[in-house]
Amino acid sequence: MCEPIDPKATEVDAVLTHPPLSFAIRLIPLLAVFAAPLCASAQPAEYEVGASLVCDTQSQAERFVALFSGDAHAAIDAVNAEEHDPTACALINAAYLRGSHVGTARHGDNAFEIVRILVVGIDTPVGIQAVQPSAVFLAVRRQGIRGVTR
């Protein structure tokens, strides 16, 4: 068992000579960091569900846009072939949390917003099935942007 703390000892002496107290004092800032999110607003995060073009990296999403000329499947197949990865880019029905906007990619009359997302589920015929969260890049086609080339 631990020895009692000398009532005449200073706080610094107590910390240095009483290991459990020393550990507890060092643990307080760490606990504060972990407790802070619990004190924040308890609003649930809003997720989106739908058919989405996703790629593993931002550069793959940008490459998809550069190759896109109306046929999404052909552009996806071309990116996946270049990457030697059949799943680098894909069209999926997913449930995801939208993250930060990382850019806009353009090719001809087409413009796509590139957004980092966190996929949390896959939409199946029996409903949304949870998956291990995965950060990927979403390419969302924007309408009404004309005459801008990249």
Side-chain angles (χ1 to χ4, degrees):
M1 197 106 193
C2 297
E3 294 181 27
I5 298 174
D6 182 359
K8 296 178 188 171
T10 66
E11 288 178 42
V12 173
D13 291 333
V15 168
L16 294 174
T17 59
H18 202 271
L21 183 58
S22 174
F23 175 76
I25 288 176
R26 283 186 268 148
L27 190 61
I28 289 172
L30 182 63
L31 291 174
V33 168
F34 287 128
L38 299 176
C39 299
S41 173
Q43 296 178 0
E46 292 187 31
Y47 63 91
E48 299 176 44
V49 177
S52 307
L53 172 90
V54 298
C55 296
D56 292 337
T57 68
Q58 181 179 349
S59 63
Q60 291 166 349
E62 291 169 347
R63 183 66 179 142
F64 165 84
V65 174
L67 296 169
F68 180 76
S69 58
D71 185 348
H73 290 288
I76 289 169
D77 290 344
V79 171
N80 292 350
E82 289 175 4
E83 294 291 322
H84 305 290
D85 180 354
T87 62
C89 290
L91 285 172
I92 62 172
N93 285 321
Y96 60 90
L97 300 170
R98 190 176 286 254
S100 59
H101 169 88
V102 295
T104 301
R106 295 176 173 87
H107 178 247
D109 288 343
N110 299 304
F112 288 79
E113 178 183 358
I114 309 296
V115 179
R116 189 163 175 87
I117 64 169
L118 183 66
V119 175
V120 295
I122 299 297
D123 194 10
T124 70
V126 295
I128 297 172
Q129 301 298 310
V131 297
Q132 179 71 34
S134 176
V136 293
F137 292 86
L138 172 72
V140 181
R141 190 170 183 188
R142 294 293 170 213
Q143 302 297 325
I145 300 176
R146 297 277 181 213
V148 179
T149 59
R150 184 170 196 222

